[in-house]
Amino acid sequence: MQIKVKQPYWFRNDNKRVFMYGFQDIIVEYREYSQDTAEFVTKFSLEGTDRRFANIDSPKVTTPVGCPPFNDYTVKHELYFDEGLSEKFNFSTDIFQPLQAVYVKTILKTAGDQVPILREIELPYRHEEIIE
């Protein structure tokens, strides 16, 4: 990649021509993904409050403007109660344990030449106060 800049204006300083250039917000990235699937885990927490999760609905995902929409094949979510991802749980099921933190695994899959791009993940949930 090459960036060419031309500056026809200059001023003289110590018998030399001085050209001034200024650049701002130039971001160049090259990313190549060689796998068809990627995944990451997001922790959602009510820790530090007197609340617990009572029910958690499927995450709502938004994509950046101009990106293709996703579907159930390209973006999937799994709900876990522990950081080690050993206690999988279903979305939209009542939770009777005093859970203040849950973990959502997001799995992204390519569909042809399209890769899903996520802008935001929102986790709809219902909470209750912890009764001791």
Side-chain angles (χ1 to χ4, degrees):
M1 185 177 99
Q2 226 177 31
I3 298 175
K4 294 183 180 184
V5 179
K6 184 176 182 180
Q7 169 58 288
Y9 305 106
W10 53 273
F11 63 91
R12 190 167 296 281
N13 185 15
D14 290 333
N15 237 4
K16 295 179 184 176
R17 288 186 183 175
V18 177
F19 294 85
M20 298 294 289
Y21 295 91
F23 302 94
Q24 181 176 344
D25 295 328
I26 296 177
I27 299 171
V28 179
E29 293 184 28
Y30 174 75
R31 295 182 184 183
E32 183 176 340
Y33 299 96
S34 59
Q35 296 180 344
D36 292 333
T37 303
E39 58 186 52
F40 60 91
V41 177
T42 307
K43 178 181 180 181
F44 293 90
S45 175
L46 295 174
E47 295 167 332
T49 71
D50 61 347
R51 299 177 185 156
R52 69 171 188 86
F53 288 106
N55 191 300
I56 300 171
D57 288 333
S58 295
K60 295 180 191 238
V61 176
T62 56
T63 58
V65 175
C67 290
F70 63 91
N71 57 41
D72 289 341
Y73 173 78
T74 56
V75 179
K76 289 184 180 181
H77 302 281
E78 296 175 352
L79 177 63
Y80 294 89
F81 287 171
D82 64 317
E83 191 172 6
L85 308 182
S86 63
E87 291 186 60
K88 189 174 176 183
F89 203 75
N90 294 325
F91 290 104
S92 302
T93 303
D94 287 338
I95 302 167
F96 298 104
Q97 301 176 33
L99 288 176
Q100 289 191 296
V102 295
Y103 301 85
V104 175
K105 181 196 285 187
T106 302
I107 303 163
L108 306 175
K109 292 184 180 180
T110 59
D113 61 348
Q114 293 187 348
V115 177
I117 299 173
L118 308 183
R119 179 173 183 254
E120 181 178 66
I121 298 175
E122 179 183 331
L123 189 66
Y125 67 90
R126 187 171 42 90
H127 67 272
E128 294 177 351
E129 288 191 28
I130 296 175
I131 301 172
E132 294 183 25

